[in-house]
Amino acid sequence: SPTMGPTPCTGMTIMVNVQTDNYPGETEWILTNQWTGLPEATSSLMSEKNTMHSTPLCIPEAQYSFFITDSYGDGMCCNYGNGGYKVMMNGDMMID
């Protein structure tokens, strides 16, 4: 029988791209649904330094807040690697 393709997203398509610095374990993010106050998605452990970590999401239509932290407090750039992040929604850049 034929293989079924991926199920199309019926909500919002979000892509979270995080470029880690030299200390990737210090970086975490959370995407919170502002209508419910509940987390919609959170980062998994990022252990590869100086690496792009991409997380594709299909989430319900709502308003969201994106919060990213560096637990050590020295940021993601520039003395300890050139980390950064971008968030895209339905193919459009929302946070850069």
Side-chain angles (χ1 to χ4, degrees):
S1 68
T3 302
M4 298 297 292
T7 303
C9 181
T10 58
M12 297 167 46
T13 301
I14 303 291
M15 179 64 78
V16 178
N17 294 314
V18 176
Q19 174 74 33
T20 55
D21 61 7
N22 293 339
Y23 300 94
E26 296 176 354
T27 305
E28 294 181 317
W29 60 262
I30 185 168
L31 188 68
T32 302
N33 184 320
Q34 293 298 290
W35 295 352
T36 65
L38 300 174
E40 195 67 49
T42 58
S43 57
S44 56
L45 176 65
M46 292 180 270
S47 59
E48 297 291 322
K49 64 182 180 178
N50 302 306
T51 302
M52 179 64 71
H53 297 265
S54 298
T55 305
L57 303 167
C58 177
I59 58 177
E61 294 279 344
Q63 286 186 336
Y64 292 90
S65 63
F66 178 79
F67 189 68
I68 190 165
T69 60
D70 177 272
S71 63
Y72 192 75
D74 59 356
M76 298 173 67
C77 180
C78 293
N79 292 332
Y80 302 103
N82 289 315
Y85 56 94
K86 296 179 181 182
V87 179
M88 299 182 75
M89 180 180 70
N90 298 326
D92 296 324
M93 186 70 63
M94 301 306 293
I95 301 171
D96 184 7

